[in-house]
Amino acid sequence: MSDKLNVLLLGSGGREAAIAWKLNQSPLLGKLFIAPGNAGTSACGTNLPIKPTDFEAVAKAVKDNAVDLVIAGNEDPLVGGLREALAVSCPGVPMVGPGADGAALEGSKDFAKDFMGRHGIPTARHLTATKENIEEARDFLRSLEAPYVLKADGLAAGKGVLIINDLDEAISSLDEMLAGQFGAASAKVVIEEFLSGIECSVFVLTDGTGAYRILPVAKDYKRVGEGDTGLNTGGMGSVSPVPFADKTFMDKVEKRIVKPTVNGLIAEGIDYRGFIFLGLINVKGEPMVIEYNVRMGDPETEVVMPRIASDLLPALMAVANGKLSDIAIEQDPRTAVAVMAVSGGYPGSYAKGKVINGLDTVEGIVFHAGTAKDDEGRTVTSGGRVLATVAFGDNIAEAAAASYAMLDGISFDGKYNRRDIGKDLM
Ligand code: AMP
Ligand code: GLY
């Protein structure tokens, strides 16, 4: 057996491109496989044409390639029980990503809210509505002030949250959701008090023993339009660090949210080994949880990975093996800004297959997201979010200017990007 580690990373977005880039710098890395990956990840390892939710194919890839570590990039396979499946088909192979019990923190907003309630973690007041308690749910809505927040309980591809200004409209939207607007995902609907403040994303690694490490904090930009207007997207850019997430704020986050979350998982018998993504909102200096995710954020990962100064591979191996207390994670003090270029029309309908120019001449970090190779070997667009340029600076203005200079050198038919990433924090 070699002392180098073969790694299988599951996913295909900019997040996985950033994780692959980081792992590829590790002197401990043997072979890196990305399943399915994109046109950019093939520069860091071998892409395998496998769906992360096809557990048999994942298990076969683990065995065929003598994989020493499996890393789940996205939530779907985790919520569906990937850890449990691999424990049977590939026993003893370490994995980063919780079992279905822990993944319920993202897979069920009702579970997540109850978990926070059980462990005294600050979050918006809520009530979970079903067809059975609809009258109580309407009364709860009437007791709140506008705007009204309605969330499908289950996974809804990022579309399951509605924020509605009018009470009557909120009541009828609740009915539509319960009637199946998001399929089974909205058979339960979490109604929440609206919280006002600036959001940020805090990422935690934990190993099932109570040890945890907090990774660089980031902020993403979800709306398609400048000044945070227009439709919600998967994310148009990101910044790390976040100026308001200073020591005072982060001390509160650690004490009130990170520790009770990690300890709460242990108290409930959940062996959670993986990333915890805390979607937080700063309400007048007090951090509150908007949501948990059981993976890294996208496009936050595109700025978090470059800001991790330590080797990530031993840290992830330690997460999987319950040895995180042996590991220190250093952060690069510089600021990183990622700007995402998207296909015109996104998040609505958009064209695919557009040739991307300028990739050979651009200098710096480019993370591919929705890209593929065409029959002639050219890199073409294959998704809404196409790629992100990432640059460092001594402050947000410098890093953003450098990231925009890179992105301006890349072109494809219909390319669009916001020009104000980070501006609200300057
Ligand atoms: P989620 O899918 O839970 O992250 O919700 C999507 C977005 O809706 C969040 O990133 C917030 O911008 C917003 N949101 C969710 N819950 C609340 C809330 N209780 N108050 C204010 N905004 C919210
Ligand atoms: N950027 C937010 C997310 O990944 O859910």
Side-chain angles (χ1 to χ4, degrees):
M1 204 180 100
S2 109
D3 48 4
K4 301 249 181 180
L5 301 169
N6 296 337
V7 177
L8 173 61
L9 171 64
L10 303 177
S12 63
R15 168 183 47 218
E16 287 76 24
I19 296 172
W21 170 87
K22 181 67 184 163
L23 291 173
N24 195 38
Q25 296 167 30
S26 173
L28 293 174
L29 183 70
K31 289 186 191 144
L32 176 61
F33 301 92
I34 309 101
N38 59 42
T41 57
S42 54
C44 303
T46 306
N47 287 348
L48 302 176
I50 289 174
K51 271 202 210 151
T53 46
D54 181 348
F55 298 165
E56 277 179 35
V58 172
K60 185 169 184 314
V62 169
K63 290 178 197 154
D64 290 353
N65 298 296
V67 166
D68 301 296
L69 178 67
V70 178
I71 303 168
N74 61 324
E75 67 279 9
D76 275 4
L78 297 170
V79 172
L82 174 64
R83 174 176 278 278
E84 292 78 357
L86 291 185
V88 174
S89 53
C90 308
V93 176
M95 174 177 166
V96 174
D101 53 356
L105 283 181
E106 177 166 359
S108 167
K109 293 190 189 284
D110 177 42
F111 173 81
K113 295 296 284 192
D114 284 348
F115 178 88
M116 288 185 257
R118 286 194 290 276
H119 302 289
I121 295 165
T123 188
R125 276 198 305 135
H126 87 290
L127 181 131
T128 299
T130 62
K131 282 184 178 154
E132 278 66 55
N133 68 348
I134 185 76
E135 279 311 325
E136 189 192 355
R138 287 180 187 143
D139 285 342
F140 184 70
L141 272 174
R142 289 183 194 106
S143 78
L144 297 174
E145 280 176 39
Y148 305 92
V149 182
L150 302 179
K151 301 185 176 185
D153 173 55
L155 295 183
K159 299 194 169 69
V161 176
L162 303 183
I163 298 182
I164 299 169
N165 284 314
D166 180 73
L167 178 62
D168 291 331
E169 208 185 302
I171 289 175
S172 53
S173 288
L174 174 63
D175 290 339
E176 283 166 31
M177 288 176 86
L178 291 174
Q181 183 182 0
F182 299 97
S186 64
K188 285 186 196 172
V189 174
V190 171
I191 305 171
E192 264 184 32
E193 159 193 46
F194 181 82
L195 299 175
S196 192
I198 312 184
E199 289 174 57
C200 66
S201 305
V202 171
F203 302 98
V204 178
L205 275 172
T206 191
D207 68 350
T209 72
Y212 63 85
R213 296 288 179 267
I214 300 176
L215 302 178
V217 180
K219 178 176 189 289
D220 76 339
Y221 292 79
K222 290 192 173 69
R223 301 297 193 91
V224 73
E226 279 158 23
D228 291 327
T229 53
L231 293 175
N232 248 323
T233 71
M236 299 295 292
S238 57
V239 171
S240 177
V242 179
F244 71 76
D246 56 9
K247 182 166 184 330
T248 309
F249 184 81
M250 288 308 294
D251 283 348
K252 292 178 187 172
V253 170
E254 184 165 4
K255 180 162 168 265
R256 300 178 191 170
I257 298 170
V258 176
K259 282 188 179 154
T261 298
V262 169
N263 293 336
L265 288 165
I266 291 180
E268 299 196 11
I270 297 174
D271 182 11
Y272 195 112
R273 299 171 190 226
F275 293 100
I276 306 175
F277 168 168
L278 307 168
L280 303 182
I281 190 161
N282 176 353
V283 182
K284 299 192 178 98
E286 309 305 324
M288 307 202 40
V289 178
I290 291 277
E291 64 168 347
Y292 285 113
N293 294 303
V294 299
R295 52 172 172 84
M296 289 294 293
D298 197 348
E300 291 96 325
T301 311
E302 287 90 314
V303 287
V304 170
M305 288 298 142
R307 289 201 60 239
I308 296 177
S310 317
D311 189 350
L312 185 66
L313 182 49
L316 294 183
M317 201 65 189
V319 163
N321 287 328
K323 296 266 167 34
L324 190 57
S325 55
D326 299 344
I327 298 282
I329 297 183
E330 304 297 332
Q331 302 195 4
D332 187 317
R334 292 175 297 169
T335 294
V337 171
V339 184
M340 189 65 76
V342 305
S343 300
Y346 173 80
S349 62
Y350 53 83
K352 291 185 186 176
K354 302 295 180 189
V355 175
I356 304 172
N357 299 303
L359 290 170
D360 296 338
T361 47
V362 65
E363 277 178 47
I365 306 172
V366 179
F367 291 132
H368 290 224
T371 67
K373 295 276 187 195
D374 72 1
D375 294 343
E376 295 165 50
R378 297 175 303 184
T379 303
V380 297
T381 65
S382 70
R385 291 191 292 170
V386 175
L387 55 80
T389 52
V390 184
F392 281 115
D394 288 334
N395 53 50
I396 294 174
E398 269 184 41
S403 190
Y404 279 115
M406 289 170 65
L407 197 57
D408 290 343
I410 296 174
S411 62
F412 55 87
D413 201 16
K415 173 187 162 211
Y416 166 75
N417 59 268
R418 275 178 64 166
R419 298 228 57 106
D420 65 341
I421 300 303
K423 216 168 188 178
D424 58 327
L425 299 175
M426 283 178 202

